Amino acid sequence: MKTDPGKIRILLVEDHAPTAATLSAMLNALGFGKVTVAGNTTAAVNALKETGFDLLLCDFQLGIVNGLMLVRMIRRPDGITNPNVPIVMITAHAEPDRVAEALDAGIDDFLVKPVLPEKLLQCMVGLLERPRVFVKSKDYAGPDRRRRQTDRHPGRRQDDREIRSLVPRNKWIVPPKT
């Protein structure tokens, strides 16, 4: 890992104290020594105003003001902190609609509880050492969702050109009835 984990400032926003303690201990064991824990959105906003963080780990369900609202407050141009800070949503609820909603709010990555230390480290190292391009449009502000680039078309997803079917193009599984 190129980045010195001891210098990375992390804000962990988690309202469930045992989960916050577990994640904080996990981060410390992985070498991340500068972890600030916020138990609710108000504490998170106050911490963000006081300190510039390098990474934010946020639970989806935070009570009255959920994690999505916090992400949207951060991603606004006049937000409470650096709008480009990498944000990882950590939640036990991984329904496709919830994941899509979090991505639309502007998160960088999504992890499902219980989080394995290896997955957490892999996610964090990826975001810190290979930061995503930040895009702004009329309806969206956040990291560019395109992850893979090709040599022929930089910035375009390889998936856009790949055939998703295992059946070769122009071949019929069942010939059409004539």
Side-chain angles (χ1 to χ4, degrees), residues 44-138:
V45 169
N46 291 336
L48 287 165
K49 286 179 180 178
E50 294 173 13
T51 307
F53 290 96
D54 301 306
L55 185 74
L56 182 88
L57 301 174
C58 181
D59 188 17
F60 193 99
Q61 292 292 356
L62 292 172
I64 297 170
V65 180
N66 68 19
L68 290 180
M69 292 178 185
L70 178 62
V71 171
R72 289 183 183 115
M73 288 190 295
I74 293 169
R75 293 296 189 221
R76 285 193 335 238
D78 60 339
I80 52 180
T81 188
N82 171 15
N84 300 338
V85 65
I87 302 172
V88 179
M89 181 78 51
I90 301 177
T91 183
H93 305 281
E95 296 84 15
D97 292 345
R98 188 167 285 201
V99 174
E101 189 178 11
L103 288 169
D104 288 343
I107 65 163
D108 289 80
D109 214 334
F110 195 94
L111 294 174
V112 180
K113 294 176 187 174
V115 178
L116 297 174
E118 302 83 32
K119 289 289 183 187
L120 181 60
L121 182 62
Q122 178 185 9
C123 172
M124 293 172 60
V125 168
L127 291 174
L128 294 169
E129 292 187 356
R130 293 177 308 281
R132 311 259 301 274
V133 175
F134 195 84
V135 295
K136 293 179 185 175
S137 70
K138 180 182 173 188

Side-chain angles (χ1 to χ4, degrees), residues 146-161:
R146 298 172 290 189
R147 294 181 186 237
R148 290 190 277 170
Q149 295 182 350
T150 64
D151 294 334
R152 292 185 299 154
H153 301 286
R156 184 170 177 185
R157 286 181 291 206
Q158 190 172 351
D159 287 343
D160 288 346
R161 291 179 310 282

